[in-house]
Amino acid sequence: MKKGTLKQILLITDGCSNKGEDPAATAALAHQQGITVNVIGILEDDQTEQPEGLEEVEEVALSGGGVSQIVYKKSLSQTVQMVTKQAMTQTLQGFVNQELQQILGPNQTMDELEPEKRGEIMEVVEELGETCDLEVLVLVDTSASMHDKIPTVKEALIDLSISLNARIGRNRYSVFTFPDRRKDIKQILDWSPKLDSISAIFPKLTSGGITPTGPALREAMYQFGKKSLLRSFNDEDEPPIEEAWY
């Protein structure tokens, strides 16, 4: 199996989109382009009932081929790490299943193999999870209701960067927020191997406005293509980015 690049959008929000296109449909389009969409919905620590708006979290992740999780603010850091890693494994398993079907027939999946063979394949999946390149675009909802959650999001993203540092494969992150006064999303951090630098950026973020999740996801999806195009012009000394697997 060739080495490739796993591409993820990680959407962090606390409510339902209320402007623009259907975010689930946009997530499905991103998935068709080889980008997994994961969604984390944040609850306040003293919140006892799940708001109706967070029902959208599961729907968007399902359409985007990703993982979703509703979490209390205090547990956000562990959840961000878990969702990112779980989505990597899920994507790799899907890729392996596609390979198996090409070799053994259209109805063959890992679950149908004998335990010993299935174990061997899972070892390959785990190894690929450590060695593949990973690109995560973090899309943070900064609408009015997210104001008190922004510091927790910052800490969670720094912890994510630290937890993935031990991987052999290259990690690259970018951070965007929405809504923005002029555009659907605003770039906070350009593609970087570490998220440490966001410590200086997040305290300056302002929150407010509506939640145009669909348009924000669409613009986030375009950022992967823009990055590849810019690199082809500017980074002649670097090897080209491999094609996404999925």
Side-chain angles (χ1 to χ4, degrees), residues 58-76:
E58 183 176 357
E59 183 181 356
V60 172
L62 186 63
S63 298
V67 177
S68 65
Q69 189 73 37
I70 305 295
V71 63
Y72 285 104
K73 186 169 63 173
K74 61 184 178 183
S75 303
L76 181 62

Side-chain angles (χ1 to χ4, degrees), residues 96-148:
V96 169
N97 276 332
Q98 287 182 348
E99 294 287 301
L100 283 175
Q101 288 170 7
Q102 289 182 8
I103 297 169
L104 302 175
N107 298 319
Q108 185 72 64
T109 65
M110 277 195 294
D111 295 336
E112 294 163 345
L113 295 175
E114 58 188 71
E116 184 178 348
K117 291 293 184 185
R118 190 162 63 243
E120 291 175 1
I121 290 177
M122 282 308 300
E123 287 182 9
V124 173
V125 169
E126 290 176 8
E127 182 179 349
L128 287 172
E130 288 297 313
T131 59
C132 69
D133 291 343
L134 175 66
E135 295 179 350
V136 182
L137 186 152
V138 183
L139 185 59
V140 182
D141 174 3
T142 54
S143 56
S145 57
M146 281 286 290
H147 177 74
D148 294 335

Side-chain angles (χ1 to χ4, degrees), residues 95 119 135 233 240:
F95 169 73
E135 295 179 350
F233 282 110

Side-chain angles (χ1 to χ4, degrees), residues 173-176 187-194 227 230:
Y173 314 92
S174 63
V175 182
F176 288 78
Q187 184 182 77
I188 298 301
L189 177 68
D190 200 1
W191 292 98
S192 170
K194 292 185 179 181
K227 170 185 58 60
L230 286 172

Side-chain angles (χ1 to χ4, degrees), residues 10-11 18 33-34 51 97 116 119 131-132 137 140 143 161 167 181 184 191 204 208-209 225:
L10 175 61
L11 170 63
N18 50 26
Q33 302 300 315
N97 276 332
E116 184 178 348
T131 59
C132 69
L137 186 152
V140 182
S143 56
S161 180
R167 294 180 64 254
R181 292 179 181 177
D184 291 325
W191 292 98
K204 301 176 183 177

Side-chain angles (χ1 to χ4, degrees), residues 20-115:
E21 62 204 273
D22 178 10
T26 310
L29 181 61
H31 191 212
Q32 291 173 8
Q33 302 300 315
I35 303 166
T36 301
V37 181
N38 306 310
V39 192
I40 296 176
I42 312 176
L43 299 173
E44 290 289 352
D45 292 337
D46 58 354
Q47 202 166 336
T48 56
E49 294 185 5
Q50 179 177 318
E52 285 185 22
L54 287 180
E55 293 177 0
E56 187 177 81
V57 166
E58 183 176 357
E59 183 181 356
V60 172
L62 186 63
S63 298
V67 177
S68 65
Q69 189 73 37
I70 305 295
V71 63
Y72 285 104
K73 186 169 63 173
K74 61 184 178 183
S75 303
L76 181 62
S77 181
Q78 304 95 297
T79 304
V80 167
Q81 296 175 43
M82 180 272 293
V83 164
T84 302
K85 293 176 180 178
Q86 186 177 337
M88 289 172 62
T89 301
Q90 182 172 294
T91 303
L92 289 168
Q93 286 178 343
F95 169 73
V96 169
N97 276 332
Q98 287 182 348
E99 294 287 301
L100 283 175
Q101 288 170 7
Q102 289 182 8
I103 297 169
L104 302 175
N107 298 319
Q108 185 72 64
T109 65
M110 277 195 294
D111 295 336
E112 294 163 345
L113 295 175
E114 58 188 71

